[in-house]
Amino acid sequence: MNFNTKVIHGGQHHESATGSVNVPVFLTSTFAQKSPGVHSGYEYSRAANPTRQALEDSLASIENGARGLAFGSGLAAIDCVLKLLNPGDEVIAVDDLYGGTYRMFTRLFEKYQLKFTFVNFDDASKIADVVTDKTKLIWVETPTNPLMKLVDIKAVVEIAKGKDILVAVDNTFATPYLQRPIDLGADIVMHSATKYLGGHSDVIAGALIAKDAELGEKLHFIQFASGGILGPHDSYLVLRGIKTLALRVQRHSENGMAVAKYLESHPAVDKVIYPGLESHPQYDLAKSQMKDFGGMVSFTFKSGKKEDAIKFLEKVKVFTLAESLGGVESLANHPALMTHASIPAEKRAELGITDDLVRLSVGIEDAEDLIADLERAFS
């Protein structure tokens, strides 16, 4: 199947008892058995639920993986990956990292004797320089949050090859419509399914997709033993969202480009960070690794003033000032005060997450209305 067909039909089957085209929401905790240990494939919904199974099969299909798993949040999915590791293992992570991921790494898992090294992945040789015999995981975001840096997935995979190192990619911003890390050699793909996969700002969910069945089974055991599963109703919502993923992300990308070009020409704007602009330092990588460039745009003010960013964000009307991203509606965010507040100020400054940085999640409204809203907010 091609991608537009996969999001609707990939891994999916009509419900066997009734022929229902849509998978029912199986609101059950347990399942009847014919004899002790003899059942229809379902015993207890923490282990497996038919609605969640349908979503997990869809996730595996659209990312070209062997096993999909659905979690109660994106952070629950990341937590599952880290539980593959043992005390003393080392993780190399991209330095421009979602604030919740950074918080989990440094404030939760460091105390269990995991070591985290944060590196600028612009140059793959910098990763190779810090790999040791204790390195067991390389954690990638591309594009990164919120500075829209790109990571060459193939180059990272090449560094890990033959070294017993897993490569995991947070593919939340790009989605499998724009980028499929498993096809580029990654072992695990993670999504905050709250964002583009769900697509309607009405569910909190996470996802993992494993490249091979053996790794998928290890992750499933951790999910089952830890219990961070996604409930059946939320699974239904994400599965429904996936069916329109291709249409939505194409529109997000078209509007993202229009907004980025507008911002690049605005006299109050200093820097626009969008992979689809030729001014982006990794524009060539974006063209080679991604199908299109998505709906996430960040920018700074020529004044460099935090007050100008706050004033702008207080005046938007079509854009909504809110956390999160990836929904059909456009959102605006101040990373330093909102999504990345958990990162220490000195670390934010080192990365370039300045107090005048604004991150936009460009929705699927009419681009003309979005640009008019931005123009009013600048005035």
Side-chain angles (χ1 to χ4, degrees):
M1 294 181 186
N2 293 311
F3 190 82
N4 288 348
T5 307
K6 273 188 175 183
V7 292
I8 298 170
H9 298 289
Q12 302 304 296
H13 309 281
H14 300 152
E15 198 272 323
S16 58
T18 65
S20 173
V21 172
N22 282 318
V23 60
V25 180
F26 285 89
L27 294 172
T28 184
S29 61
T30 192
F31 302 84
Q33 301 191 20
K34 297 175 183 178
S35 181
V38 180
H39 50 78
S40 61
Y42 298 96
E43 303 170 82
Y44 187 61
S45 277
R46 175 160 44 82
N49 174 282
T51 314
R52 189 170 82 245
Q53 187 67 58
L55 169 60
E56 292 176 337
D57 291 344
S58 175
L59 292 167
S61 174
I62 62 177
E63 284 284 11
N64 293 336
R67 181 79 177 263
L69 297 165
F71 294 81
S73 69
L75 287 171
I78 298 170
D79 177 86
C80 182
V81 175
L82 292 182
K83 286 174 180 172
L84 289 168
L85 306 178
N86 297 308
D89 288 347
E90 297 180 358
V91 179
I92 301 171
V94 62
D95 57 355
D96 179 31
L97 197 62
Y98 165 56
T101 308
Y102 180 86
R103 180 178 59 229
M104 176 182 284
F105 286 3
T106 58
R107 297 183 64 181
L108 289 182
F109 278 92
E110 276 189 345
K111 67 182 180 181
Y112 299 118
Q113 285 75 58
L114 293 182
K115 179 183 176 182
F116 296 90
T117 302
F118 300 96
V119 179
N120 185 335
F121 280 18
D122 287 355
D123 182 352
S125 66
K126 295 177 183 176
I127 307 170
D129 289 343
V130 296
V131 169
T132 74
D133 58 0
K134 293 183 178 181
T135 304
K136 298 300 178 184
L137 174 67
I138 300 177
W139 186 267
V140 176
E141 276 186 24
T142 182
T144 63
N145 182 1
L147 296 175
M148 306 303 294
K149 295 180 182 178
L150 298 175
V151 177
D152 187 333
I153 297 172
K154 284 185 177 179
V156 174
V157 169
E158 192 62 31
I159 289 168
K161 186 180 293 183
K163 295 186 176 70
D164 191 30
I165 299 173
L166 293 171
V167 175
V169 178
D170 181 340
N171 203 30
T172 299
F173 273 25
T175 83
Y177 178 69
L178 302 180
Q179 172 179 275
R180 287 182 283 280
I182 287 174
D183 289 355
L184 300 173
D187 300 292
I188 300 171
V189 175
M190 194 286 295
H191 287 274
S192 173
T194 307
K195 314 304 193 297
Y196 287 105
L197 296 187
H200 293 79
S201 302
D202 56 5
V203 64
I204 300 291
L208 294 178
I209 301 90
K211 180 179 182 178
D212 63 67
E214 181 181 0
L215 178 57
E217 186 56 37
K218 290 178 181 177
L219 291 166
H220 175 257
F221 173 78
I222 296 169
Q223 181 196 44
F224 167 71
S226 297
I229 59 167
L230 189 64
H233 187 262
D234 288 347
S235 295
Y236 173 83
L237 289 175
V238 177
L239 186 60
R240 184 177 66 169
I242 287 173
K243 291 182 179 181
T244 59
L245 178 67
L247 293 172
R248 288 186 287 105
V249 177
Q250 187 58 50
R251 181 59 176 260
H252 284 296
S253 298
E254 293 166 3
N255 284 356
M257 179 65 82
V259 165
K261 287 182 175 179
Y262 160 76
L263 290 169
E264 199 170 42
S265 67
H266 198 281
V269 173
D270 180 31
K271 182 169 63 174
V272 181
I273 314 171
Y274 182 68
L277 294 177
E278 292 186 21
S279 58
H280 193 287
Q282 296 163 301
Y283 174 68
D284 290 337
L285 176 59
K287 286 196 301 179
S288 67
Q289 189 167 270
M290 301 171 69
K291 178 181 178 179
D292 210 326
F293 307 108
M296 299 303 299
V297 183
S298 295
F299 70 94
T300 59
F301 288 77
K302 279 188 177 172
S303 68
K305 293 181 179 179
K306 175 182 178 180
E307 294 77 15
D308 286 345
I310 292 174
K311 180 182 176 182
F312 170 88
L313 289 166
E314 288 175 343
K315 292 173 72 174
V316 291
K317 300 297 182 186
V318 180
F319 281 83
T320 299
L321 175 59
E323 302 252 358
S324 199
L325 59 103
V328 292
E329 65 289 303
S330 292
L331 302 177
N333 166 58
H334 189 277
L337 294 177
M338 296 168 70
T339 52
H340 290 68
S342 61
I343 296 178
E346 61 274 13
K347 181 68 174 177
R348 291 199 305 268
E350 177 187 327
L351 294 172
I353 303 174
T354 56
D355 286 347
D356 67 326
L357 180 73
V358 170
R359 190 195 74 186
L360 302 177
S361 173
V362 182
I364 65 171
E365 304 94 338
D366 284 308
E368 295 83 358
D369 293 329
L370 296 175
I371 290 171
D373 188 47
L374 297 175
E375 186 66 28
R376 285 191 298 268
F378 277 119
S379 64

